[in-house]
Amino acid sequence: MRVPANELAASTARKFLRAALVERSALQFPGVPVISERLLDDAALLVSELVTSVATQGACEIEVVCCLDVSGGSPAEAAQRAAGRVGVVVEVLDRSPFGTLHDGKGMHSDMGDYGRQLMRALAQSWGVTYRRTGKADWFSVECAMETPLKTEEQGLTEAVPREPAAAESDTAAPPREGRCRSVEWAEREGQSFLAEAGELLVGQLDEDMVAALAGQLLVPRLADWCGVWLTTDSTEMRLSQVWHMDEQRIRTLRLALEKDRPPARLGMTGAPWPWPAGEGAEKDGSALAFPLVAGGQCLGTLLIGQAGLPHMADAVVRLAEDVARRVAQAVVTVRHYTRQASISRTLQLSQLPTSLATIPGVDTAIVYEPCGEGQTVGGDFYDLFPMGDHRWCFLLGDVCGHDLEAMSGTGLARHLVRLLAREGHGVEALLNRLNLAMAEEAAEAVTFRGEHEGSRFLSLLYGELEPDGVTGGTLCTIASAGHPLPLRLSTDGSVTPAAAPQMLLGIDKLEEFHANTFTLAPGETLLCVTDGVTERRRGTRQLDDDDGLTEILRGCIGLGAKAVAERVRRAVHDFSTEPMDDDLAVLVLEAVPVFGARPL
């Protein structure tokens, strides 16, 4: 059975396992009850633990395989089989495309020491045997459970001695609530459980996911059900997640918990809580509330309940309290991250134009993809704005540098170009003034902050458009300062550079820049790109080697501006299987016929 690795994976796997074992045992041993309810319960809980563990390690699809082990093996084991004892083998496979973990390049990575320790601790806490087998693109953990727990023929390499049966031991086995909730387990395995819980929780970047993980960690290990309340911006409580060992009761439990909202801050930890009304057939039990407090701030409340018990054991309460503290700390971390990400996103978006001007007689298209993870703005920038007098300005630039360093100069350069343009400076005068300002700033940086601070340069493609409503063409004045040259696609399919190469801005303050002027006839296209397009690599080869970009544009004849931009974007991504290592920006301007215009 394959299931998606989400919050329903564990419950789906449990239902499948119970049904499959009952059906298989009925087929292999008709009329003979070889599997007890206790064994079914233990196997179902075990597969829930395994699926949850694999899912939280990053898997996107999980395959669950189970079977009965009734082979003979050694004479002693054959005697055990004859006595009616049967084994259950559970196998959980990660069927993600590249394995459980990724190294950032789409390649398979071993789950590492942490994953092995997690599975080992899980097996030991449940008293089962296990092994781990590495494969090319997946890993598997096989667990065997039986009465007794050890079978040699299953190939299980690390055996854990089985627990004695009730008749063999001096004390009875733990009650139906399971081994994990016993005082002995809490005291023996509690610290390793907390370490695993902390590692799982701290890696989350969404507070609702933290709440969901908390429920799956606590149920069924320490409780029959769990509810997590989180505070909102208005300090009110909202019920984030509800989890029950019987998924069919989750909706009923949620409705019952929502009727009794906890206060904004509890006066004590582990406070008794009213048992939810209508909580299934089990009308009574013990419920406790734990405040989620970190840094002196109340972030919510954790509720857990055990059915059929007048009160919870002290060891279980202490363990749940420790989990609550880790949940609170994880929520604080998530909220700090969310706040910082929101601030960063707001600042980044302020670097880009809020809107692009519409030019009569010119169809425009922009493609912009910053390569920094989580960024909406990189070192590349663009703009298209009106100047009045039936003129429009456009620009495409690239600040030397990467990530935040480049982003800090992106907005400054764009706003400075707008300011100079609206002061009436033409294309050549604007580039000359911008070059002088950047060269002087670089010199000051070298003098006062060290030589390494002076290496901030800028490549810029800047131009002006004057559409002619009479002829239908558009007069274009353009200059390139250290930027990949713009390409002009004519209606006959020829492609030519539309500007001459010149020096980067900010290197030599005495450099004089010059512009080219031409008329973009209806049907002709002007393609402007940054070096993220031309320098896209595949081994030692670049996309623009042997006029590669020219050939791409030549194949775009007859396409509109948006189609040309998309064709170039796809060509860049398809050129190499490696992820992008630079920002990508494409600006396409196409002169379109104007109704009533006189042909050129």
Side-chain angles (χ1 to χ4, degrees):
M1 174 188 183
R2 294 191 179 188
V3 295
N6 53 31
E7 64 274 9
L8 298 179
S11 60
T12 303
R14 285 203 311 268
K15 293 168 67 176
F16 154 76
L17 182 130
R18 288 183 64 92
L21 288 180
V22 171
E23 178 183 6
R24 180 58 57 186
S25 63
L27 290 175
Q28 291 186 246
F29 306 96
V32 180
V34 297
I35 298 183
S36 66
E37 279 297 320
R38 171 64 179 277
L39 185 56
L40 282 175
D41 289 342
D42 284 347
L45 290 178
L46 174 63
V47 78
S48 173
E49 300 293 327
L50 288 172
V51 170
T52 300
S53 298
V54 174
T56 53
Q57 291 298 305
C60 62
E61 187 180 46
I62 298 170
E63 180 175 339
V64 180
V65 181
C66 69
C67 63
L68 298 177
D69 180 25
V70 293
S71 57
S74 65
E77 289 163 351
Q80 291 173 353
R81 298 292 183 270
R85 296 177 177 178
V86 62
V88 177
V89 176
V90 178
E91 188 177 18
V92 179
L93 311 177
D94 175 9
R95 291 301 190 187
S96 304
F98 298 104
T100 300
L101 299 179
H102 301 267
D103 60 6
K105 300 180 180 178
M107 303 298 291
H108 169 72
S109 292
D110 196 330
M111 70 183 295
D113 292 337
Y114 168 68
R116 286 191 286 272
Q117 292 172 2
L118 187 148
M119 289 301 177
R120 181 186 299 274
L122 180 63
Q124 291 175 348
S125 67
W126 276 86
V128 300
T129 60
Y130 82 100
R131 73 174 179 179
R132 178 177 180 274
T133 306
K135 300 288 185 178
D137 61 350
W138 55 273
F139 77 90
S140 70
V141 177
E142 295 183 2
C143 294
M145 295 185 62
E146 58 169 311
T147 310
L149 296 175
K150 172 70 168 62
T151 60
E152 198 65 34
E153 66 274 16
Q154 293 171 7
L156 306 179
T157 59
E158 297 193 35
V160 178
R162 70 181 182 92
E163 295 181 1
E168 303 172 14
S169 65
D170 296 334
T171 59
R176 188 178 181 273
E177 59 266 20
R179 300 187 187 98
C180 282
R181 262 181 275 159
S182 67
V183 176
E184 180 185 355
W185 180 88
E187 293 177 345
R188 184 182 71 249
E189 305 294 342
Q191 293 305 311
S192 61
F193 166 72
L194 288 174
E196 296 161 11
E199 290 195 43
L200 291 175
L201 293 170
V202 77
Q204 304 306 315
L205 299 178
D206 180 86
E207 62 179 44
D208 288 324
M209 181 59 71
V210 170
L213 276 175
Q216 296 188 40
L217 286 167
L218 292 168
V219 178
R221 287 181 175 101
L222 299 177
D224 292 316
W225 57 263
C226 172
V228 181
W229 292 81
L230 296 176
T231 57
T232 64
D233 293 337
S234 58
T235 68
E236 295 183 354
M237 288 281 196
R238 67 177 182 90
L239 187 54
S240 173
Q241 295 290 335
V242 174
W243 198 256
H244 199 293
M245 63 186 303
D246 182 357
E247 66 275 4
Q248 296 180 355
R249 298 188 188 180
I250 291 178
R251 178 176 175 80
T252 303
L253 177 61
R254 173 176 283 275
L255 294 175
L257 292 178
E258 286 178 340
K259 296 178 181 178
D260 195 2
R261 188 186 304 268
R265 181 156 189 164
L266 293 174
M268 60 178 293
T269 185
W273 194 257
W275 187 257
E279 210 293 279
E282 296 166 335
K283 301 295 185 181
D284 194 12
S286 174
L288 297 178
F290 300 87
L292 302 178
V293 178
Q297 180 183 6
C298 183
L299 307 168
T301 301
L302 172 68
L303 300 176
I304 64 171
Q306 288 185 3
L309 294 177
H311 63 274
M312 297 186 195
D314 291 341
V316 173
V317 174
R318 289 194 299 270
L319 201 55
E321 184 178 351
D322 287 336
V323 172
R325 279 195 288 267
R326 284 160 174 77
V327 171
Q329 190 58 53
V331 171
V332 166
T333 302
V334 167
R335 291 186 176 181
H336 283 328
Y337 167 81
T338 302
R339 188 177 301 110
Q340 292 298 325
S342 177
I343 295 173
S344 176
R345 191 179 305 111
T346 301
L347 292 175
Q348 289 177 18
L349 291 175
S350 68
Q351 309 299 314
L352 297 177
T354 55
S355 62
L356 296 177
T358 300
I359 307 175
V362 179
D363 188 17
T364 62
I366 285 284
V367 171
Y368 182 73
E369 294 179 357
C371 76
E373 182 178 355
Q375 289 188 195
T376 55
V377 180
D380 292 0
F381 60 98
Y382 62 91
D383 206 351
L384 179 62
F385 56 93
M387 279 294 298
D389 297 330
H390 209 60
R391 291 189 304 130
W392 283 262
C393 297
F394 66 92
L395 61 95
L396 190 64
D398 184 3
V399 177
C400 297
H402 295 283
D403 301 333
L404 296 178
E405 177 189 2
M407 191 189 73
S408 65
T410 296
L412 178 62
R414 185 177 68 84
H415 288 296
L416 186 56
V417 169
R418 276 201 177 205
L419 177 63
L420 293 173
R422 286 173 176 168
E423 286 183 350
H425 298 286
V427 175
E428 294 180 349
L430 185 147
L431 291 181
N432 289 331
R433 284 180 173 267
L434 184 59
N435 176 63
L436 178 62
M438 294 194 65
E440 290 178 346
E441 183 183 3
E444 290 177 0
V446 171
T447 302
F448 296 104
R449 294 194 296 271
E451 184 175 355
H452 67 283
E453 297 286 347
S455 59
R456 178 63 60 82
F457 308 125
L458 174 68
S459 72
L460 183 66
L461 186 66
Y462 176 70
E464 292 182 357
L465 300 173
E466 295 185 51
D468 189 336
V470 178
T471 63
T474 298
L475 184 66
C476 179
T477 302
I478 191 171
S480 173
H483 203 81
L485 299 181
L487 298 178
R488 179 184 178 187
L489 173 63
S490 301
T491 53
D492 61 1
S494 61
V495 178
T496 56
Q502 299 180 85
M503 187 179 294
L504 285 165
L505 295 171
I507 295 179
D508 182 3
K509 67 179 182 180
L510 301 179
E511 179 72 14
E512 293 289 332
F513 292 87
H514 303 282
N516 296 74
T517 301
F518 59 92
T519 298
L520 199 64
E524 292 188 335
T525 299
L526 184 66
L527 173 64
C528 310
V529 301
T530 57
D531 58 8
V533 174
T534 57
E535 296 179 4
R536 172 71 161 152
R537 289 188 173 275
R538 182 178 61 206
T540 59
R541 183 175 176 80
Q542 294 185 347
L543 182 143
D544 200 33
D545 288 348
D546 301 324
D547 296 326
L549 185 60
T550 298
E551 294 302 318
I552 294 172
L553 182 58
R554 185 175 289 119
C556 296
I557 187 169
L559 298 181
K562 293 179 176 57
V564 172
E566 177 60 19
R567 176 75 64 86
V568 173
R569 187 195 72 83
R570 290 189 60 182
V572 173
H573 284 278
D574 294 343
F575 185 74
S576 174
T577 58
E578 293 295 320
M580 295 290 295
D581 59 358
D582 197 1
D583 303 328
L584 182 152
V586 179
L587 170 63
V588 180
L589 303 171
E590 179 195 14
V592 294
V594 179
F595 180 75
R598 185 176 71 249
L600 292 173

